[in-house]
Amino acid sequence: MRLVKYLEQQVTPSKIVCVGRNYVEHIKELNNEMPEEMVLFVKPNSAISETLLSTDQEPLHYEAELCFLVKEGRFEGVGVGLDLTKRQLQSRLKTKGLPWERAKSFDGAALFSEFVPFDGDLDSLSFRLIVDGELRQQGDVALMLNRPEAMLAEIASFMTLEDGDILMTGTPKGVGQIAKGERFTLELYQGERQLVSQSWVAK
């Protein structure tokens, strides 16, 4: 089973629940329709990795996201992560009206920083992705179509979140293809204070 780090401990998520199309500008950049209801999909534990891949049968795309660790049905910790996507395959699946799992839930499709405790104002959280010194993505709760509390309630209406499960809250504009050798750095902030920073070099 794949693990993530929280308070110097190793936690085993049973699953990762992801919210899609949660930032207006990202919806526009991929020419998607505005969703009428929350878009949800699941990545298995086997998708978690510490290695950032640039290819897996086809070029991979990055999506930086604010992430929450769940315990006893509430947010216990906060971190940041990368949702990797086989964009060409996803486009073909969407055209046919098929599920996205082949493009979103493959081994290595989810990378995470460490998670840290958080019980403050969610509106104070923001994050940014820097690739080789260039700011590629930045987002915060205020830009989301669905707030984290609403996501938690919607998921709980039909699915049990086990302790240690992760919620990925969607990606802002600026997604793109990963190139081998690029250095990705994700930073999480509460106001002006940095909570987490995590870097990977693409393989």
Side-chain angles (χ1 to χ4, degrees):
M1 298 291 283
R2 311 294 173 84
L3 307 172
V4 296
K5 189 175 181 181
Y6 174 66
L7 285 178
E8 303 302 323
Q9 301 174 354
Q10 299 295 318
V11 177
T12 306
S14 72
K15 59 186 172 296
I16 306 155
V17 182
C18 307
V19 179
R21 302 183 187 179
N22 202 29
Y23 288 81
V24 172
E25 293 303 318
H26 174 60
I27 294 170
K28 291 178 180 178
E29 76 177 340
L30 294 187
N31 295 315
N32 287 323
E33 294 182 1
M34 196 72 68
E36 296 181 2
E37 57 186 347
M38 199 178 299
V39 177
L40 296 168
F41 61 95
V42 173
K43 292 177 183 274
N45 173 276
S46 58
I48 299 171
S49 178
E50 296 180 355
T51 302
L52 176 58
L53 299 174
S54 58
T55 61
D56 183 347
Q57 300 175 321
E58 70 176 62
L60 299 179
H61 285 222
Y62 63 83
E63 299 183 1
E65 310 201 10
L66 176 66
C67 304
F68 292 97
L69 194 69
V70 176
K71 184 177 180 180
E72 296 179 354
R74 64 179 183 84
F75 297 138
E76 174 77 6
V78 65
V80 280
L82 290 174
D83 169 12
L84 302 191
T85 304
K86 296 180 180 180
R87 190 73 70 199
Q88 297 170 19
L89 175 57
Q90 185 191 33
S91 295
R92 293 197 300 271
L93 293 170
K94 288 194 298 186
T95 299
K96 297 177 180 179
L98 296 173
W100 299 351
E101 276 77 5
R102 291 178 183 272
K104 285 283 196 179
S105 302
F106 54 92
D107 290 354
L111 290 84
F112 299 102
S113 69
E114 66 174 323
F115 287 82
V116 296
F118 186 78
D119 61 0
D121 180 8
L122 295 180
D123 286 344
S124 67
L125 294 173
S126 65
F127 65 97
R128 62 181 188 170
L129 172 65
I130 299 165
V131 181
D132 284 349
E134 176 191 357
L135 179 63
R136 294 280 183 89
Q137 290 188 277
Q138 54 186 345
D140 57 52
V141 173
L143 292 174
M144 296 179 181
L145 290 174
N146 301 286
R147 294 182 55 82
E149 301 96 325
M151 301 175 200
L152 201 59
E154 178 70 15
I155 295 164
S157 72
F158 70 96
M159 180 190 301
T160 298
L161 287 170
E162 307 286 351
D163 288 355
D165 284 353
I166 295 171
L167 172 64
M168 300 190 79
T169 60
T171 195
K173 68 178 180 178
V175 301
Q177 186 172 316
I178 302 167
K180 184 177 180 180
E182 287 182 324
R183 184 176 183 84
F184 283 67
T185 300
L186 264 176
E187 299 174 343
L188 172 64
Y189 293 87
Q190 180 183 12
E192 299 297 320
R193 183 168 70 97
Q194 186 178 101
L195 299 180
V196 172
S197 179
Q198 177 71 45
S199 295
W200 302 270
V201 176
K203 303 295 185 182

